[in-house]
Amino acid sequence: MYPDHTQPAPEQRALDVHHPTPIQPLVAVPAPLVPVQPGTVPAVASIVLPDGRVVTGYAIDPVRPEPVAAPPAVSRAAVNVALGGVGFLAVCGGLLLLTTFIAALTAFVTQLITLAAVIFGGWIAVQVFSASSHQGGTTVNIRKAVIKRNKFYG
């Protein structure tokens, strides 16, 4: 660290030694044995290679392509258009009923207002015409008055 050794060496420190804690090995739980049906074990096949070696293994069935499904008789687009038309008709019917309800409600409110006007107007007429004949009050006689040049002649 100091090649010329002219400088004093730095203070020596005590080293801290850390010992790792050993990891306990995991206890392997054996898998339960599943009984195998005799018909499900594939047959063992042996093949002799040209150099004389024998390779033994299980026979693997070749991959079979999945059968192609026949196209449906009616396309999905046609079904979607038909369902959209049915939904549109249902909405139009609901809107027709809604507008009919609003028109009937408007007519009912108009009739109530007219009935209230007739009843209230009749009550006012009765009050006006009965007040002058039955109740006592001040009688004012109005004579013909002549107004000439901003002067009242009564």
Side-chain angles (χ1 to χ4, degrees), residues 28-117:
V29 177
L33 294 176
V34 179
V36 179
Q37 299 294 332
T40 59
V41 176
V44 177
S46 296
I47 299 173
V48 179
L49 296 176
D51 60 357
R53 292 182 293 163
V54 177
V55 178
T56 305
Y58 294 106
I60 299 174
D61 292 333
V63 178
R64 296 183 189 125
E66 293 185 21
V68 178
V74 179
S75 70
R76 289 182 183 252
V79 171
N80 290 338
V81 168
L83 289 176
V86 169
F88 182 73
L89 288 177
V91 168
C92 287
L95 289 177
L96 181 64
L97 288 175
L98 182 64
T99 54
T100 305
F101 174 74
I102 291 173
L105 185 63
T106 305
F108 178 69
V109 170
T110 304
Q111 289 178 355
L112 285 179
I113 291 173
T114 304
L115 180 64

